[in-house]
Amino acid sequence: ALESTIITHGMPYPRNLEVARAVEARVRAGGAVPATVAVLDGRLRVGLSDAELERVAVAGDRGAAVKCSRRDLADVAARSARDGALVGATTVAGTAVAAHLAGVEVFATGGIGGVHRGAETTFDVSADLVELGRTPILVVCAGVKSILDVPKTLEVLETQGVAVIGYGTDDLAAFFAARSSAGGEVNRAPLRYDDAAGVAGWLAKNAELGLASGAVLAVPNPAPMDGDAIDGAIAAALEAAAARGVSGKDATPFLLAKLEEVTGGASLEANIALVLNNARVAADVAVARAGGGPARRPPDVAVVGASTVDVVGRAGGPCAGTSAPGAASTTFGGVGRNVAVAAARAGAATTVSYTHLRAHETRGNLVCRLLLE
């Protein structure tokens, strides 16, 4: 999954479209399927055509795109159903909601939101952190945006039960920089995995345990900026935001735009480099999660039909003053279900998908996927 605010609120057209296409291409090159998320024409869309991707990019350039966190999805969907020009661009939280609803486990972005500096007085804390605490999804990013209060963000993530994993490093990546620090001390990632297979193993166990929380996979920026230079630029951007009274959901776009201005465009190039790298790593993890072979794809045989469950109870005889003893049996059937199982047992080429209320059925290299309709 890929978010869309990075397209609508990160850079001008047509650069935003070029980067969006490049990120999707990087995912495909890794053997996975990219699904950019947005709200279009009253629908929450997980996966866009190239024409729809351009529509989102143009809407962002024209100011017709609204940032959508969890709280905004229903409102923007309702309004965009009436106004076709309105586009909902999903944040990390909004994208996580949509991806989870669609059964997508891996999500690539630039960096997550967090606790804003000065939050002890403003209480400005991103909804991304709460969403990650209740949605089992892996967010592959370049760590916490360095414009934020990184130590406080880590504390909130811990409180929400969110795993924070350093990818190939013990240090916590800080978006523009390879690692973050506070008071002269480097912020450490609580967990570390060194390859996609290890991360995929964590993801599998998280699902097996039924945990509702997700994880942040912090990948160091492959083209980091000088730490002192970016700290100075961030300080200037924060001062400008305070002078203009910018806060809330407008803060991050303003600060990133100001950083680009102060650094002469260097921050934007670093941002693009890290997003492309995150997409590569996310594709590797998705492929590893799919079992090491090609990423999951639509089945060669799809059966659309009924699945039924017959529950039969038989009483053993009357018993005065209490319930009658007896037994109940359950039988699974339905034409659609029966045809799907027959096709699977006959050796269909790859995958048979069918509506079924029982667990997955595996025969050799044939996997019958569970689809609940």
Side-chain angles (χ1 to χ4, degrees):
L2 303 167
E3 66 157 292
S4 47
T5 54
I6 197 171
I7 305 171
T8 59
H9 292 74
M11 58 197 79
Y13 182 85
R15 187 69 188 280
N16 58 353
L17 178 59
E18 294 168 358
V19 172
R21 285 171 171 164
V23 172
E24 287 204 346
R26 187 63 61 90
V27 172
R28 290 190 183 95
V33 179
T36 301
V37 178
V39 179
L40 298 175
D41 304 320
R43 303 296 295 274
L44 182 55
R45 301 289 301 278
V46 182
L48 305 178
S49 67
D50 187 69
E52 290 167 336
L53 203 63
E54 183 169 9
R55 178 181 167 189
V56 170
V58 171
D61 191 59
R62 293 177 177 173
V66 181
K67 289 179 69 175
C68 292
S69 186
R70 171 185 280 266
R71 67 171 186 178
D72 308 300
L73 291 173
D75 172 61
V76 175
R79 288 194 289 137
S80 68
R82 299 190 302 267
D83 179 3
L86 182 67
V87 167
T90 53
T91 63
V92 168
T95 305
V97 171
H100 179 59
L101 288 173
V104 180
E105 296 178 297
V106 182
F107 164 25
T109 186
I112 63 169
V115 179
H116 282 262
R117 302 188 190 194
E120 61 272 15
T121 57
T122 64
F123 292 92
D124 193 350
V125 179
S126 172
D128 295 352
L129 306 186
V130 178
E131 194 60 50
L132 288 172
R134 60 183 174 188
T135 304
I137 193 165
L138 178 75
V139 179
V140 182
C141 62
V144 180
K145 291 178 179 137
S146 44
I147 57 178
L148 304 170
D149 189 319
V150 178
K152 286 186 177 65
T153 299
L154 283 172
E155 288 293 339
V156 174
L157 286 170
E158 179 184 3
T159 301
Q160 294 292 334
V162 179
V164 179
I165 305 169
Y167 192 65
T169 177
D170 294 319
D171 300 333
L172 179 67
F175 205 61
F176 295 116
R179 62 184 187 177
S180 63
S181 60
E185 294 188 9
V186 175
N187 293 304
R188 302 294 184 183
L191 301 175
R192 171 176 176 165
Y193 283 96
D194 293 328
D195 53 34
V199 178
W202 178 93
L203 193 58
K205 282 298 178 184
N206 195 60
E208 180 183 319
L209 292 171
L211 300 178
S213 54
V216 173
L217 181 63
V219 182
N221 190 330
M225 300 181 65
D226 177 74
D228 293 335
I230 194 61
D231 285 344
I234 289 172
L238 289 169
E239 184 177 340
R244 298 191 186 186
V246 179
S247 62
K249 66 180 182 180
D250 297 324
T252 297
F254 176 86
L255 291 171
L256 293 178
K258 196 65 179 178
L259 278 178
E260 183 183 352
E261 176 187 327
V262 173
T263 62
S267 65
L268 177 60
E269 296 306 317
N271 193 350
I272 293 172
L274 66 86
V275 170
L276 290 170
N277 188 56
N278 295 343
R280 176 189 63 81
V281 173
D284 290 344
V285 173
V287 170
R289 177 73 172 109
R296 292 186 179 99
R297 60 187 179 85
D300 291 336
V301 177
V303 178
V304 181
S307 177
T308 62
V309 182
D310 293 331
V311 180
V312 179
R314 293 183 176 85
C319 185
T322 186
S323 301
S329 61
T330 303
T331 303
F332 297 91
V335 174
R337 179 265 180 191
N338 294 341
V339 170
V341 172
R345 292 176 177 171
T350 307
T351 305
V352 176
S353 299
Y354 58 97
T355 54
H356 196 354
L357 299 180
R358 289 191 297 181
H360 298 238
E361 180 175 337
T362 304
R363 298 178 63 83
N365 64 349
L366 175 67
V367 178
C368 298
R369 295 175 57 200
L370 177 66
L371 297 179
L372 291 178
E373 295 291 350

mmCIF file of all heavy atoms in Angstrom, residues 64-89:
data_model
loop_
_atom_site.group_PDB
_atom_site.id
_atom_site.type_symbol
_atom_site.label_atom_id
_atom_site.label_comp_id
_atom_site.label_asym_id
_atom_site.label_seq_id
_atom_site.Cartn_x
_atom_site.Cartn_y
_atom_site.Cartn_z
ATOM 1 N N ALA A 64 -7.406 20.889 -4.721
ATOM 2 C CA ALA A 64 -8.697 20.192 -4.636
ATOM 3 C C ALA A 64 -8.572 18.857 -3.923
ATOM 4 O O ALA A 64 -9.450 18.010 -4.031
ATOM 5 C CB ALA A 64 -9.263 19.975 -6.036
ATOM 6 N N ALA A 65 -7.473 18.657 -3.193
ATOM 7 C CA ALA A 65 -7.269 17.408 -2.455
ATOM 8 C C ALA A 65 -7.313 17.691 -0.963
ATOM 9 O O ALA A 65 -6.707 18.645 -0.474
ATOM 10 C CB ALA A 65 -5.933 16.777 -2.830
ATOM 11 N N VAL A 66 -8.048 16.855 -0.238
ATOM 12 C CA VAL A 66 -8.201 17.002 1.206
ATOM 13 C C VAL A 66 -7.451 15.878 1.912
ATOM 14 O O VAL A 66 -7.589 14.710 1.552
ATOM 15 C CB VAL A 66 -9.694 16.949 1.605
ATOM 16 C CG1 VAL A 66 -9.847 17.125 3.113
ATOM 17 C CG2 VAL A 66 -10.486 18.005 0.853
ATOM 18 N N LYS A 67 -6.643 16.236 2.913
ATOM 19 C CA LYS A 67 -5.940 15.213 3.686
ATOM 20 C C LYS A 67 -6.942 14.396 4.493
ATOM 21 O O LYS A 67 -7.800 14.947 5.174
ATOM 22 C CB LYS A 67 -4.928 15.861 4.625
ATOM 23 C CG LYS A 67 -3.724 16.465 3.938
ATOM 24 C CD LYS A 67 -2.773 17.101 4.927
ATOM 25 C CE LYS A 67 -2.089 16.063 5.778
ATOM 26 N NZ LYS A 67 -1.063 16.673 6.672
ATOM 27 N N CYS A 68 -6.816 13.075 4.416
ATOM 28 C CA CYS A 68 -7.773 12.181 5.079
ATOM 29 C C CYS A 68 -7.067 11.282 6.083
ATOM 30 O O CYS A 68 -6.347 10.359 5.702
ATOM 31 C CB CYS A 68 -8.488 11.301 4.060
ATOM 32 S SG CYS A 68 -9.603 12.177 2.970
ATOM 33 N N SER A 69 -7.304 11.571 7.352
ATOM 34 C CA SER A 69 -6.960 10.632 8.404
ATOM 35 C C SER A 69 -8.208 9.772 8.639
ATOM 36 O O SER A 69 -9.186 9.871 7.899
ATOM 37 C CB SER A 69 -6.552 11.383 9.662
ATOM 38 O OG SER A 69 -6.076 10.474 10.641
ATOM 39 N N ARG A 70 -8.199 8.919 9.651
ATOM 40 C CA ARG A 70 -9.356 8.058 9.924
ATOM 41 C C ARG A 70 -10.636 8.884 10.067
ATOM 42 O O ARG A 70 -11.671 8.548 9.496
ATOM 43 C CB ARG A 70 -9.119 7.234 11.188
ATOM 44 C CG ARG A 70 -10.358 6.468 11.658
ATOM 45 C CD ARG A 70 -10.122 5.772 12.973
ATOM 46 N NE ARG A 70 -9.406 4.519 12.792
ATOM 47 C CZ ARG A 70 -9.982 3.329 12.655
ATOM 48 N NH1 ARG A 70 -11.314 3.237 12.643
ATOM 49 N NH2 ARG A 70 -9.265 2.237 12.519
ATOM 50 N N ARG A 71 -10.563 9.979 10.821
ATOM 51 C CA ARG A 71 -11.768 10.751 11.128
ATOM 52 C C ARG A 71 -12.373 11.416 9.895
ATOM 53 O O ARG A 71 -13.542 11.789 9.888
ATOM 54 C CB ARG A 71 -11.444 11.834 12.154
ATOM 55 C CG ARG A 71 -10.518 12.907 11.595
ATOM 56 C CD ARG A 71 -10.358 14.082 12.518
ATOM 57 N NE ARG A 71 -9.577 15.141 11.874
ATOM 58 C CZ ARG A 71 -9.313 16.308 12.432
ATOM 59 N NH1 ARG A 71 -9.769 16.559 13.653
ATOM 60 N NH2 ARG A 71 -8.606 17.211 11.788
ATOM 61 N N ASP A 72 -11.554 11.594 8.839
ATOM 62 C CA ASP A 72 -11.998 12.336 7.656
ATOM 63 C C ASP A 72 -12.562 11.459 6.551
ATOM 64 O O ASP A 72 -13.171 11.972 5.606
ATOM 65 C CB ASP A 72 -10.822 13.138 7.079
ATOM 66 C CG ASP A 72 -10.130 13.991 8.116
ATOM 67 O OD1 ASP A 72 -10.810 14.857 8.689
ATOM 68 O OD2 ASP A 72 -8.928 13.775 8.356
ATOM 69 N N LEU A 73 -12.358 10.153 6.620
ATOM 70 C CA LEU A 73 -12.676 9.285 5.490
ATOM 71 C C LEU A 73 -14.151 9.334 5.099
ATOM 72 O O LEU A 73 -14.494 9.496 3.923
ATOM 73 C CB LEU A 73 -12.266 7.841 5.806
ATOM 74 C CG LEU A 73 -10.755 7.586 5.884
ATOM 75 C CD1 LEU A 73 -10.479 6.171 6.381
ATOM 76 C CD2 LEU A 73 -10.088 7.814 4.529
ATOM 77 N N ALA A 74 -15.041 9.186 6.074
ATOM 78 C CA ALA A 74 -16.472 9.167 5.757
ATOM 79 C C ALA A 74 -16.937 10.509 5.213
ATOM 80 O O ALA A 74 -17.715 10.576 4.245
ATOM 81 C CB ALA A 74 -17.279 8.793 7.003
ATOM 82 N N ASP A 75 -16.461 11.606 5.822
ATOM 83 C CA ASP A 75 -16.871 12.941 5.378
ATOM 84 C C ASP A 75 -16.419 13.213 3.956
ATOM 85 O O ASP A 75 -17.209 13.664 3.112
ATOM 86 C CB ASP A 75 -16.288 13.990 6.326
ATOM 87 C CG ASP A 75 -16.506 15.409 5.815
ATOM 88 O OD1 ASP A 75 -17.672 15.807 5.650
ATOM 89 O OD2 ASP A 75 -15.508 16.112 5.567
ATOM 90 N N VAL A 76 -15.154 12.936 3.655
ATOM 91 C CA VAL A 76 -14.635 13.209 2.312
ATOM 92 C C VAL A 76 -15.266 12.274 1.291
ATOM 93 O O VAL A 76 -15.540 12.677 0.150
ATOM 94 C CB VAL A 76 -13.097 13.106 2.297
ATOM 95 C CG1 VAL A 76 -12.558 13.274 0.883
ATOM 96 C CG2 VAL A 76 -12.491 14.173 3.209
ATOM 97 N N ALA A 77 -15.528 11.034 1.680
ATOM 98 C CA ALA A 77 -16.208 10.112 0.761
ATOM 99 C C ALA A 77 -17.592 10.632 0.412
ATOM 100 O O ALA A 77 -18.014 10.593 -0.747
ATOM 101 C CB ALA A 77 -16.292 8.721 1.384
ATOM 102 N N ALA A 78 -18.299 11.129 1.422
ATOM 103 C CA ALA A 78 -19.643 11.657 1.178
ATOM 104 C C ALA A 78 -19.595 12.889 0.270
ATOM 105 O O ALA A 78 -20.396 13.026 -0.663
ATOM 106 C CB ALA A 78 -20.314 12.000 2.501
ATOM 107 N N ARG A 79 -18.649 13.792 0.524
ATOM 108 C CA ARG A 79 -18.569 15.023 -0.262
ATOM 109 C C ARG A 79 -18.048 14.766 -1.677
ATOM 110 O O ARG A 79 -18.498 15.387 -2.633
ATOM 111 C CB ARG A 79 -17.681 16.040 0.446
ATOM 112 C CG ARG A 79 -18.335 16.628 1.690
ATOM 113 C CD ARG A 79 -17.597 17.863 2.168
ATOM 114 N NE ARG A 79 -16.306 17.546 2.752
ATOM 115 C CZ ARG A 79 -15.188 18.225 2.528
ATOM 116 N NH1 ARG A 79 -15.192 19.241 1.683
ATOM 117 N NH2 ARG A 79 -14.061 17.888 3.127
ATOM 118 N N SER A 80 -17.106 13.825 -1.802
ATOM 119 C CA SER A 80 -16.565 13.549 -3.141
ATOM 120 C C SER A 80 -17.576 12.811 -4.016
ATOM 121 O O SER A 80 -17.476 12.826 -5.242
ATOM 122 C CB SER A 80 -15.268 12.739 -3.037
ATOM 123 O OG SER A 80 -15.512 11.431 -2.548
ATOM 124 N N ALA A 81 -18.563 12.155 -3.376
ATOM 125 C CA ALA A 81 -19.622 11.515 -4.157
ATOM 126 C C ALA A 81 -20.476 12.568 -4.854
ATOM 127 O O ALA A 81 -21.018 12.327 -5.939
ATOM 128 C CB ALA A 81 -20.495 10.649 -3.242
ATOM 129 N N ARG A 82 -20.591 13.750 -4.225
ATOM 130 C CA ARG A 82 -21.359 14.843 -4.817
ATOM 131 C C ARG A 82 -20.517 15.725 -5.730
ATOM 132 O O ARG A 82 -21.008 16.262 -6.710
ATOM 133 C CB ARG A 82 -21.969 15.694 -3.693
ATOM 134 C CG ARG A 82 -22.917 14.944 -2.775
ATOM 135 C CD ARG A 82 -23.669 15.889 -1.838
ATOM 136 N NE ARG A 82 -22.759 16.679 -1.024
ATOM 137 C CZ ARG A 82 -22.361 16.332 0.199
ATOM 138 N NH1 ARG A 82 -22.771 15.185 0.719
ATOM 139 N NH2 ARG A 82 -21.556 17.114 0.900
ATOM 140 N N ASP A 83 -19.241 15.873 -5.375
ATOM 141 C CA ASP A 83 -18.338 16.739 -6.137
ATOM 142 C C ASP A 83 -17.195 15.901 -6.683
ATOM 143 O O ASP A 83 -16.245 15.582 -5.972
ATOM 144 C CB ASP A 83 -17.807 17.853 -5.234
ATOM 145 C CG ASP A 83 -16.839 18.796 -5.950
ATOM 146 O OD1 ASP A 83 -16.629 18.608 -7.170
ATOM 147 O OD2 ASP A 83 -16.304 19.704 -5.302
ATOM 148 N N GLY A 84 -17.285 15.525 -7.939
ATOM 149 C CA GLY A 84 -16.295 14.637 -8.544
ATOM 150 C C GLY A 84 -14.898 15.212 -8.602
ATOM 151 O O GLY A 84 -13.926 14.474 -8.768
ATOM 152 N N ALA A 85 -14.772 16.545 -8.455
ATOM 153 C CA ALA A 85 -13.448 17.166 -8.507
ATOM 154 C C ALA A 85 -12.695 16.998 -7.195
ATOM 155 O O ALA A 85 -11.467 17.128 -7.148
ATOM 156 C CB ALA A 85 -13.576 18.650 -8.845
ATOM 157 N N LEU A 86 -13.422 16.714 -6.121
ATOM 158 C CA LEU A 86 -12.811 16.585 -4.807
ATOM 159 C C LEU A 86 -12.123 15.227 -4.674
ATOM 160 O O LEU A 86 -12.710 14.190 -4.983
ATOM 161 C CB LEU A 86 -13.864 16.746 -3.714
ATOM 162 C CG LEU A 86 -13.361 16.674 -2.270
ATOM 163 C CD1 LEU A 86 -12.465 17.860 -1.961
ATOM 164 C CD2 LEU A 86 -14.532 16.626 -1.297
ATOM 165 N N VAL A 87 -10.892 15.243 -4.204
ATOM 166 C CA VAL A 87 -10.108 14.026 -4.021
ATOM 167 C C VAL A 87 -9.671 13.938 -2.568
ATOM 168 O O VAL A 87 -9.268 14.934 -1.963
ATOM 169 C CB VAL A 87 -8.864 14.034 -4.937
ATOM 170 C CG1 VAL A 87 -7.876 12.945 -4.539
ATOM 171 C CG2 VAL A 87 -9.285 13.851 -6.385
ATOM 172 N N GLY A 88 -9.768 12.760 -1.994
ATOM 173 C CA GLY A 88 -9.274 12.531 -0.646
ATOM 174 C C GLY A 88 -7.901 11.881 -0.708
ATOM 175 O O GLY A 88 -7.742 10.811 -1.282
ATOM 176 N N ALA A 89 -6.914 12.567 -0.148
ATOM 177 C CA ALA A 89 -5.551 12.038 -0.114
ATOM 178 C C ALA A 89 -5.289 11.471 1.275
ATOM 179 O O ALA A 89 -5.381 12.181 2.271
ATOM 180 C CB ALA A 89 -4.557 13.146 -0.439
#
